[in-house]
Amino acid sequence: MHKGTRFIAALVACAAIICLTGARSATARIKLVTLPVRERVEIQLDNANATLVEEERIVTLLEGTNKIDFSWSNTAIDKGTIRFRVVDMPLRKGTNKDHTSLLRPDGQVEMIRVINVAYPPGENALLWEVFAEKPFAARVRISYLISNLTRSFNYRAVAEHDESTLTLREYVRLGNFSGEEFGDSGIWAGFGEYFHREIGMNEAKELLIWKFLNVPIEKTYTFDWWTGQHVPEQREQRYVEMRYVLHNDEEHQMGEFPLQFGKVRIFQKDGRGGEAFIGEDWGRFTPIDDEMKLYLGLARDVVVKRKVTQNRRRKVHGNLYHQEITLKYTIENFKSDPVTLDINEDMNRLRDSFCEHKDRTAQWEIVPKGTSIGKKQIERKDARTAIFHVPLEAAPEGEAEVEPVEVTVHMFLRNEW
Amino acid sequence: MRAINTHSMLVILSVLGLCCVATPAGARNIDLATVPPRESVQLTIYNSEDITLVRETRSLSLKAGINRIQYSWANTLIDPTSVEIRPLEKEDQIEVLDTTFPGDKPQHLIWNIESKIEGQVRFQVTYFTSGISWSADYVLTANPEETEMSFDGYVQVYNNSGENYENAEVRLVVGVINLVEKIRDLARRGIIAPPHGREEEKGLKRRVMLGAVEAAALRGERRPPEIIKEGLSEYFIYTIEGRQTVPHKWSKRLVSFTARKVKFDILYRVRPHQYGSRPVRFFMLVNDKEHELGTTPLPDGLVRTFRDNGRDGLSFLGQQKVSYIPIKEDIELNVGTDDEVVWERKAMGVERSDFAFDHTPPRVVGWDERSSVKEELRNYKGKPVRVELRHVIPGDVELEAEGAKLHDYHTVEFTYDVPARGQFAWHYEYTQHFGTKARQDRIWLK
C-alpha cells in the first residue's frame, strides 16, 4: 500500500468474502481482501469552509455483488460525505427487462451501481455493496470532506523605490493537521495555479498562486477627525494615515479573480538592491473592479489642524432648526513630493456633536458661499460621508518655509430638532 | 427457557411444556419450552416519531385445547402494551384467550391460546419498538456548465433497538403521526399504564396496519434492490425491495432513487436581512417529471451539493437541510455566495420635509423623509445571471422605482438580468412618513 495510507483510508475490495460479514460483531469480520492502492489524490480547497479530498483507486469488481470496505483512523473524515464514484462509468443500452428507475434519460443503464452502505458500530469504517453487471477493473473516485486540512491566503507586495508600481504575489497556505499524509497530490484553490505536491503530516505548505507585475500604486493620505489617531498635546490635530490602494481590474494589471482575505506584507525597494519592510495589513476580500486598501502607517510629514470656526443655530419653526457650521482645515506638506490629501468628514458624528445624538441620518448640504474649494473637490461618498480632495504642493527646497494651505467648508445640517 | 437468549436474538417466542399448562404463571421456576424461529420479519419505520412497527411470523405447533405461549424481549425497547399475536390461518378454530404479564419477570408475557385443531399454524406477532429510525439524504452533482445535475436520493436506517433484525423487509413511512405516549417510555415503564393509553395505541396501530402494502417478492440476488414508493392517505411508504439485515448498533444506507440529467436554473438572491451583504446562489428545480424527478415526495433530509469542476474533480458547494418536498413542489438549494457576482448598495442622502407640529410650544411630531439609493450589480461570469433583490423597508413608505414590485407589505422586490461580464446600476427613491404623518405600515408603490 502507498505510504500515505498508513493512517487513513484502507480501502479493501472484498472480492471474496469468506465468512461472516458484519452481522454479529464489528470486530469479528474475517475476509479475504485485495488492497487497491491510491492512484491519484486531489485536494480541493475551493470551499472556504470545507476541504474535499478525492482519491482514485482501481478496484477489481466481480460480476454480481461486491463488498468494499473503507476504514480510517486518527483522522477526522466526515462519514456522511464519503462518496463512491466510478470514473468513466461503463454504460449499456437499456432493455425492457430493466427497471424504469435504472434508465437514464438517454436510455442507457449504468453497469456498476452502489447498492448500499453499512456503517458498523464503534468503527471509523463503512462497507459498500457494489453491484457490477460484469467483471470490471473500475477506476473509482472516493471523496470525502476532511477536517484540519485548511487553507488561508497571504500576500507579499514589493513596491518600487519610487512607489509608482508594485509586484503582488498571492500565496495559498495549506496546513495539514488532518492526521494523514498525502503523496503526490493535485491541489486546487479554486483559482490561479494548479499544483502537484506531496503533503506530509503536520506540514504547512505555502504555494505561489499568482504574481501580478507592474501594478500601479495609488498612495493616499487621509485625514479623518473622527477616527484618526490623536496627536499628543495637539488638540486640533489628528495624524494623517497612509494607504496603498490596489485596484483589482485589468487597467491596473489585475482583475484576474477576486482577491481573498489575507495578510499583506508590504516591502519597498531601497534603491540599493535590497528591500525594506514598510508594514503589513489585512487585505479584505476584494471582488474584481473593487479596491483593496492597505494601511501603511502614519504620515508624519503632512500635518493637518481642524477648527470649527462657526457654529450657529437657525430656528425654522418651534423646535425645528438648521445648524450652520464652518470647518477650517490648515494643512502643511513637509514632503518633497506633491500629494493629494483626502479629508473625510462623518456628517452624522458632526451632527451628533452639535445637535445631540440622533438615530437618523444627517441631512447635510455644503454651500459654496464660505467654502474655499470647488465642487469637483467635494465628493459625496454616501449619505453620511463627505470627502474633500485637497492637492498639496511639495515643500519648497532650501530655507523657504512651508506655506500652510487653508481649506474652509461651510455647511448646513438641516431640519434637526 | 432463560438460557435460550442469544446475543443475536433477544426476542424469544417459546411454547411452554405441557407440565406448565394448568399452573398459574410465575408459580414455577423450571419450564420446558420449544423455541420456534422467526420465519420472516417486517419493519415499518416512521421518521416523525421514534416508533417502528415490527411484524414477525412464526409457526407454532399447537395441540387441541389450551396452549401456553411465552414471549420475552429482554434488553430491547419494545412497548409491552403493543405486543399482539394472531393466527394467519385457521382463524376460526384458534382463539387467543388471554395475555398475562407475570409480575416477577420483566419484558415477558404469556398467551393462553385455545385451539380446536392439532398441528402447525403460522402466527403473526406484532409490536412497536423504539430505537429504530431512518433518515433521507441527497447527493447532487452539477455538471461544469451548471445546467444539469445528477440527483441521488438515499435512505439510511439506524438500529439502536437492542435487537438484531436479519433478512427483514424494511418499509419507511414519510408523514407525521400522532402518539400520546412515547414508545421508549412505554418500553421502560412496562405494562402498567393508564387503560385508555393502550386502547389508543391499538387504534393507531390499526390505522397503520390498514395501510400496509404487501411485501414485494424477494427477487434474485443478481440485481440490486429497488425502493418501491407508494402513497397512502397522508403518508408515503417506501418499501425496500428484498431483505435487509440491520444488526443492533449498525446503520445502513440504501439508494432510494437516482436521476440523471436533471435540468436546473440558477437564481441569485440578495436579501440583506436574511443572507447578509453578498448575493447568494440558488439551484432551482422542481420535483416533477420534467426535471427527471416527481416519482415520489422527497422526505426531510440533508442535501449535499457538488459540482464537477471541469478539471476531472469535484467541488463541494455546500449542504443544507430540506423539509419534505411534495411532488410538483419547487426545490431551492442554497449553494452559498459567489465571488463572481457582486452587489453594492449606497444610501446617497436623505431629505426631510412636510413637518407637523403640535401646538404649545410647537414641537416636531411628524415628518416625511425622502431617501435616495444607488445599487449596482456586477457579473464577472461568462454567462448572464438573474438576480432577485428584496429589501425590507419598515413603516409607512411610498416607493418609486422602475421594475419594483411588492413581495409583501414591507418588502420590495427587484429582479434583474445581468449580462455576461456586464453590470447593471439603478437608482431609486422612497419616502417614509414618520410620527403623526405615519398612517400606514406598508410600502405603497407609486
Side-chain angles (χ1 to χ4, degrees), chain B residues 143-348:
Chain B
N143 62 359
E145 299 77 27
E146 296 188 328
T147 54
E148 293 177 344
M149 62 167 73
S150 66
F151 196 126
D152 296 320
Y154 299 90
V155 290
Q156 190 160 348
V157 177
Y158 308 85
N159 180 8
N160 289 300
S161 68
E163 173 70 349
N164 296 321
Y165 291 99
E166 293 181 28
N167 298 316
E169 183 193 354
V170 177
R171 306 188 322 151
L172 313 170
V173 179
V174 183
V176 178
I177 59 166
N178 181 45
L179 291 182
V180 295
E181 290 185 277
K182 299 287 180 196
I183 300 302
R184 187 173 287 267
D185 295 341
L186 291 166
R188 285 185 184 140
R189 191 172 63 205
I191 189 61
I192 301 169
H196 67 275
R198 191 164 185 213
E199 289 307 307
E200 289 190 12
E201 296 284 338
K202 276 187 174 177
L204 167 69
K205 181 162 57 182
R206 273 196 295 278
R207 285 201 297 280
V208 172
M209 288 171 70
L210 275 174
V213 290
E214 287 309 308
L218 183 61
R219 307 289 167 88
E221 290 298 317
R222 308 297 292 172
R223 194 162 74 73
E226 306 289 339
I227 293 188
I228 299 155
K229 301 106 182 174
E230 294 167 75
L232 171 80
S233 179
E234 297 302 313
Y235 311 110
F236 209 87
I237 297 182
Y238 293 75
T239 302
I240 300 169
E241 197 181 45
R243 298 288 185 269
Q244 302 297 329
T245 294
V246 190
H248 176 51
K249 295 279 187 193
W250 282 60
S251 66
K252 197 167 214 178
R253 187 166 177 246
L254 301 129
V255 179
S256 162
F257 64 86
T258 59
R260 297 286 178 267
K261 294 184 179 293
V262 176
K263 290 187 169 45
F264 65 98
D265 295 317
I266 294 177
L267 177 69
Y268 288 79
R269 283 183 171 152
V270 174
R271 296 182 188 172
H273 55 286
Q274 194 173 352
Y275 304 125
S277 63
R278 290 179 64 182
V280 174
R281 200 156 68 116
F282 282 79
F283 287 177
M284 311 288 285
L285 59 158
V286 185
N287 184 17
D288 65 9
K289 284 185 180 166
E290 195 185 327
H291 293 82
E292 310 296 337
L293 301 166
T295 55
T296 164
L298 305 181
D300 307 41
L302 192 67
V303 181
R304 293 189 178 90
T305 309
F306 297 82
R307 173 179 171 264
D308 182 337
N309 64 16
R311 295 171 31 265
D312 198 19
L314 288 181
S315 290
F316 176 66
L317 298 181
Q319 63 183 37
Q320 74 174 95
K321 281 185 177 166
V322 293
S323 297
Y324 176 86
I325 299 170
I327 293 170
K328 296 185 182 173
E329 175 68 290
D330 293 344
I331 304 171
E332 300 182 350
L333 299 166
N334 180 340
V335 292
T337 56
D338 185 340
D339 291 353
E340 293 183 309
V341 177
V342 179
W343 167 73
E344 278 184 355
R345 178 182 190 275
K346 270 188 188 177
M348 294 309 296

Side-chain angles (χ1 to χ4, degrees), chain A residues 24 40 46-47 54 80 83 101 110 116-117 119 121 131 141 194 288-289 319 361 363 380 383, chain B residues 141 156 166 222 226 250-251 253 255 260 304 306 311-312 314-316 339 347-348 352 364 378 380:
Chain A
R24 293 290 182 271
R40 178 181 164 192
D46 51 351
N47 187 317
E54 297 187 273
R83 291 185 60 177
S101 68
E110 293 171 1
N116 65 53
V117 194
Y119 300 89
F131 178 82
R141 187 76 62 85
Y194 169 77
I288 299 171
D289 287 343
N319 64 339
T361 306
Q363 180 185 340
R380 178 183 277 265
Chain B
T141 309
Q156 190 160 348
E166 293 181 28
R222 308 297 292 172
E226 306 289 339
W250 282 60
S251 66
R253 187 166 177 246
V255 179
R260 297 286 178 267
R304 293 189 178 90
F306 297 82
R311 295 171 31 265
D312 198 19
L314 288 181
S315 290
F316 176 66
D339 291 353
M348 294 309 296
R352 296 187 183 90
V364 175
R378 303 201 301 271
Y380 297 103

Side-chain angles (χ1 to χ4, degrees), chain A residues 66-119:
Chain A
N66 298 259
K67 291 182 191 284
I68 299 171
D69 195 332
F70 186 68
S71 59
W72 61 97
S73 60
N74 300 322
T75 189
I77 288 178
D78 181 349
K79 196 183 275 195
T81 64
I82 301 173
R83 291 185 60 177
F84 180 98
R85 287 188 302 140
V86 177
V87 181
D88 300 326
M89 171 69 79
L91 299 169
R92 66 165 169 81
K93 200 175 171 196
T95 67
N96 293 338
K97 291 177 183 174
D98 289 311
H99 193 283
T100 50
S101 68
L102 293 178
L103 288 173
R104 294 157 40 123
D106 57 9
Q108 294 189 300
V109 169
E110 293 171 1
M111 296 176 75
I112 301 172
R113 300 185 280 280
V114 174
I115 300 170
N116 65 53
V117 194
Y119 300 89

Side-chain angles (χ1 to χ4, degrees), chain B residues 31-48:
Chain B
D31 295 333
L32 177 66
T34 58
V35 183
R38 252 183 210 148
E39 290 170 1
S40 71
V41 60
Q42 182 194 66
L43 307 175
T44 304
I45 311 168
Y46 294 75
N47 67 345
S48 64

